[in-house]
Amino acid sequence: MARRLPPLNALPAFEAAARHLNFSRAADELNLTHGAISRAVKHLEDQLGVQLFERATRSVRLTPVGEPYAVAVREALDQLALATQTATSRHSGSTLNVSTSDGFAGKWLVPRLYRFHRAHGDIDVRVSTTGRLTNFRGDGIDVAIRYGGGHYHGLTSEFLTGEEVFPVCSPKLLQGPHPLRTPADLRHHTLIRDGYRIDWAAWLASAGVEGVDPNSGLTFDSATFAVESAVQGEGVVLGRTMLVSADLATGRLVRPFDHALKAVSSFYLVYPPEAIRQRKVKAFRDWLFEEITPL
């Protein structure tokens, strides 16, 4: 008996639009135009003979028919993506695709990857640091290391470690005409920031420091560049445990003060539940937990 199937090429557009409830965001995710998403959804509705979205001037919402259909389509696409990944992995070698931030990759993951390769020489690792959260659908990502609250719908999320935030600097700044001895000495030095949610204003207030402008100094989009600037003696950066531990261990950076703030967010290993069946994912997961000491 022949299956009655919808136009399959319209389903990714519909699923993304249903998940975001926004055609523009769906277009950005799929690298399409807003018009292409709209046409794909309209074509699907015409073929099904039902309305899936209620459209307003600046918003859309799923109809009573569209809502359960979106859930079913999402589950079907997830299963198809997993089956495709399983089928092709046998022929494309054992390559593990990891998504994470540039700071975590550059300052923690990459310097340690040689140990993973030493233990699992048959598994190649590709690290993606685009800054865009993967949805594990069609982007080739196997696992992600995310910084947040740990609640990711439909995905397995395993706590890796918490984090503290504290000033770090080059050992050179402990000497000279204005050596760093107390937090008040920061008024004589350049503050470096990277856009992290705990900023200098919060740390200075918690330390009871006055007379220091928290908005002055250097700002970088990249945490890696911000930390490297501090290593070079350009100023003092708010270090995050996972991003400065290696430089502290080698003496490239020092902690001039003991005062630290506990971060609200933490690092999590995130992946589709079925992915743990793959040997490469299981091997990487086990290695991470051996390498990381939870806070």
Side-chain angles (χ1 to χ4, degrees), residues 104-184:
F104 186 86
K107 304 305 293 184
W108 192 92
L109 180 60
V110 172
R112 292 169 172 80
L113 269 180
Y114 76 93
R115 291 200 283 264
F116 180 79
H117 288 144
R118 183 182 297 165
H120 304 281
D122 60 327
I123 301 177
D124 295 327
V125 178
R126 294 177 182 169
V127 180
S128 171
T129 59
T130 62
R132 177 181 294 181
L133 288 181
T134 177
N135 59 17
F136 300 99
R137 298 182 184 91
D139 56 10
I141 297 298
D142 298 300
V143 298
I145 300 170
R146 291 184 179 174
Y147 187 71
H151 305 292
Y152 305 105
H153 179 70
L155 299 172
T156 296
S157 177
E158 296 190 80
F159 175 82
L160 290 174
T161 183
E163 201 169 44
E164 288 185 331
V165 181
F166 44 83
V168 293
C169 65
S170 166
K172 294 184 290 187
L173 299 192
L174 302 184
Q175 305 170 1
H178 300 291
L180 281 170
R181 297 284 186 265
T182 70

Side-chain angles (χ1 to χ4, degrees), residues 61-105:
R61 64 179 181 179
L62 290 163
T63 64
V65 173
E67 191 165 350
Y69 191 64
V71 172
V73 169
R74 182 173 303 121
E75 291 176 350
L77 290 176
D78 287 344
Q79 289 296 318
L80 183 59
L82 179 62
T84 301
Q85 186 177 57
T86 301
T88 58
S89 63
R90 300 171 185 170
H91 304 287
S92 61
S94 190
T95 300
L96 179 77
N97 294 284
V98 181
S99 170
T100 190
S101 66
D102 80 304
F104 186 86

